[in-house]
Amino acid sequence: MAEEKHHHHLFHHKRDEEEQPAGGYGGEAATAEYTETTVTEVVSTGEDEYEKYKKEEKEHKHKQHLGEAGAIATGAFALYEKHEAKKDPEHAHRHKIEEEIAAAAAVGSGGYAFHEHHEKKKDHKDAEEAGGEKKHHHLFG
C-alpha cells in the first residue's frame, strides 16, 4: 500500500494559570508558553480505494445473506401460521393476521436482500474501475 503522508505543524499559545491575574487575560505577570502539535494526514491511493470497495462488497454480501435468511425464516413462519389457522379454527383469525404480517416481513426482507445484491454489484464494478482486477469475459451470463 502506497501512502503519502503530509505533516502540518500547528502552534498553540498557552499561558501559565498560576501567574494570570484574577481579572482574566493580560497583564505583565502572565508568561507565555508555546506548544507544537504535529498532525499527520494520510492521502489514499488507488490501491487503498480498491481494498475499500472490496471490503464494502464483502459487507454487502454479508447483509444480502442476512436478508435472504430473514426472508426464508419469515416465509416459513407465514406457512406455519397458515397451517395453524386450518388446524385451530377457534383462533383462525389470529393465525391469519400473524400469517399476513409474516408474509409482509418476508417480502420486506427479500427486498432488502435484493437491494444489498445490487449494492454488492455496484461495489464490485467500482473495485474493478479502481484498477484491482482485470475484466472477466463470461461466455454464459
Side-chain angles (χ1 to χ4, degrees), residues 57-67 116 120:
E57 180 183 351
K58 186 177 177 182
E59 288 172 2
H60 288 301
K61 183 177 182 181
H62 179 72
K63 290 177 182 178
Q64 176 188 350
H65 287 168
L66 288 176
E116 289 298 329
K120 179 183 75 168

Side-chain angles (χ1 to χ4, degrees), residues 106-120:
V107 169
S109 195
Y112 178 72
F114 185 73
H115 163 75
E116 289 298 329
H117 174 72
H118 283 282
E119 289 294 314
K120 179 183 75 168

Side-chain angles (χ1 to χ4, degrees), residues 13-33:
H13 185 76
K14 183 178 175 184
R15 294 178 181 253
D16 291 339
E17 295 173 7
E18 307 148 2
E19 298 181 17
Q20 285 187 359
Y25 293 103
E28 295 178 39
T31 60
E33 179 182 311

Side-chain angles (χ1 to χ4, degrees), residues 49-63:
E49 203 172 316
Y50 169 77
E51 290 185 18
K52 181 186 92 167
Y53 286 126
K54 289 306 265 184
K55 182 179 178 187
E56 286 180 7
E57 180 183 351
K58 186 177 177 182
E59 288 172 2
H60 288 301
K61 183 177 182 181
H62 179 72
K63 290 177 182 178

